Structure formats: C-alpha cells, structure tokens
Amino acid sequence: ERHSHADAMNIGLFAKGLDLIPDFGYPPVGYGGWGAPKAVWYTKTAAHATVAVDGQDQQRDGPGGTTTLWADGERLRAIRVSAPNVIDGRKYERTLIMADLDDRDFYVVDCFRVVGGSDHANFFHSHFGSMRTTGLNLSAGEDYGHGTEMRRFLTDPEAQPGWHADWTVEDRRDYLPEGKQVYLRYTGLTPAAVSACEAWIDAGLYGGRPEWIPRLMIRRTGEAPLESTFVA
C-alpha cells in the first residue's frame, strides 16, 4: 500500500501539448518520511480529481472496479466505470464523454454518481497557473480538514448550475511553441456548495520546492445514505 494512492475514479487530461489535470505524483517524503502529513496528503482521495465520502480515503485492498460502458467513435468517445466497494456504498460510478467540436477543441462531459455516507466532496485541479471563477458568490469558508493540505477556502454555499472556473495555465517546462497560451474551463452543472481553495504541492521530487495551486471543491451533505450526481 505504501506506493499506492486512494485514487479510484481519478481522471487525467492530456491536451494542447500539456498534462492539464496532473496527479501530484510521488509523495514528498523529504518532509519527514512516508508517514509525514505532507507525504500522506499526496496519497489521499481528496488530493485527486475524484469524490471523497465522509472525509475518508477509499479502500485500497478490496475488489476493483467494473467498466460498464466503452465507446470509441470518430468524434465521440465515452467510458463508464463502477466501484461502489471502495466507499462501502451503494453506488460510486463515473461516466466521461469526450465530444469533439472540431479538429482542435472539445468538451468532456463528466457525470459522477455517488450513493452512501452523508458528505460527498468532489475535487478538481489543473496545472500551475491562476484560476478565476464566474457565477459564484464567494466568501470566507471553513477548511475541509480531514488531514488534507488545503487552505484559503472561499465558498458559495448555494451555487447554482452554470458557474465556471477558468485556468490560465503556466507552461513552466516550455513544452509549447512561443506565444501559445492554454486555458481550461470547468463548468459546474450541479446545485451544491462550491469552494475555491489552494492545495499544497512540492514541485521537487523529494521536497524543497513547495507552493500552492488553485483548486475546486464541489460538496453536498445530507442524511445517509446521501445520493449525489455531480455533472460538469
């Protein structure tokens, strides 16, 4: 388990010459070893682009997931995977559909269904860069906690569908042609509490280059077993 992450249903996106939803990578053990809070943070469910239930990490020693949909067309591709066992819940299922607009641009439709527990927190981040939100009424909110390394939560407790967050991505490795700028937009389509926050990472392999990147948390709470459908 030491070299695994509790990251079932995590997604990635490689486009425009960049990794636009990067995993944090190898835990920064230079901050006190494998059991240090900053190293453990990298392995937690909440550190990934997936849903954490009741603030807990997913189970890593049970049965895996099942692919229930696979479509690979010329302009539309889709996959759906189910793994309720990782949260001891009734449903934990993610559907992703990629639809081409033309030869350069596309949408990804993301539908994440969760049944179980009473607190569902859906996390998302992109690469280095800045993030700007539109359609949210943000004010100081409570930190998520649960052993995570996040801060500066600004929350809209009753966000309505149609808000979006825009990333202006920094190409620090000079992968792109000179003068090219890449943007990523996340559009939320689920009534929920939405927070903009910052996540701690280290850009070095074993430590020494700490910084904070912008992040989103889309969260629903209610009586167990809570049923949520996050669409973006």
Side-chain angles (χ1 to χ4, degrees):
E1 280 194 8
R2 174 172 290 183
H3 288 275
S4 68
H5 291 190
D7 61 352
M9 304 295 183
N10 181 56
I11 61 172
L13 176 63
F14 292 83
K16 309 292 185 180
L18 297 174
D19 181 357
L20 293 177
I21 314 177
D23 187 273
F24 290 170
Y26 194 89
V29 295
Y31 288 87
W34 284 97
K38 285 180 167 50
V40 172
W41 158 235
Y42 268 41
T43 70
K44 295 182 72 62
T45 298
H48 297 82
T50 189
V51 174
V53 176
D54 292 340
Q56 303 298 308
D57 290 334
Q58 300 158 349
Q59 297 186 26
R60 292 186 251 181
D61 56 358
T66 302
T67 300
T68 59
L69 171 67
W70 177 267
D72 187 13
E74 291 185 6
R75 303 191 71 85
L76 187 142
R77 300 154 188 87
I79 184 172
R80 182 174 63 233
V81 178
S82 176
N85 53 283
V86 301
I87 63 163
D88 277 338
R90 298 182 188 175
K91 186 180 289 290
Y92 197 69
E93 175 188 87
R94 192 167 204 167
T95 305
L96 296 167
I97 302 170
M98 176 180 282
D100 291 342
L101 296 176
D102 51 38
D103 292 336
R104 297 191 311 163
D105 296 313
F106 61 93
Y107 283 106
V108 175
V109 179
D110 180 10
C111 181
F112 206 137
R113 295 181 174 92
V114 184
V115 181
S118 59
D119 182 345
H120 300 164
N122 188 12
F123 294 95
F124 186 86
H125 62 263
S126 186
H127 213 291
F128 298 115
S130 60
M131 182 185 76
R132 178 177 57 86
T133 64
T134 303
L136 295 175
N137 184 20
L138 297 173
S139 59
E142 294 184 1
D143 287 359
Y144 180 66
H146 300 294
T148 59
E149 296 283 336
M150 294 185 289
R151 68 177 187 183
R152 294 182 178 174
F153 278 75
L154 298 174
T155 301
D156 183 340
E158 297 181 348
Q160 297 304 305
W163 62 269
H164 56 262
D166 291 309
W167 272 265
T168 301
V169 178
E170 295 179 12
D171 175 29
R172 295 192 181 182
R173 304 288 185 180
D174 296 324
Y175 290 132
L176 302 178
E178 185 175 355
K180 183 177 181 180
Q181 178 64 59
V182 173
Y183 302 92
L184 176 69
R185 170 170 288 186
Y186 182 102
T187 302
L189 300 174
T190 299
V194 176
S195 296
C197 60
E198 294 180 344
W200 183 92
I201 64 167
D202 195 296
L205 181 56
Y206 296 107
R209 296 174 58 191
E211 58 185 290
W212 298 84
I213 62 169
R215 238 178 160 225
L216 291 174
M217 178 178 72
I218 303 95
R219 190 178 190 182
R220 299 187 70 252
T221 58
E223 185 177 348
L226 180 63
E227 300 184 20
S228 294
T229 301
F230 296 101
V231 182

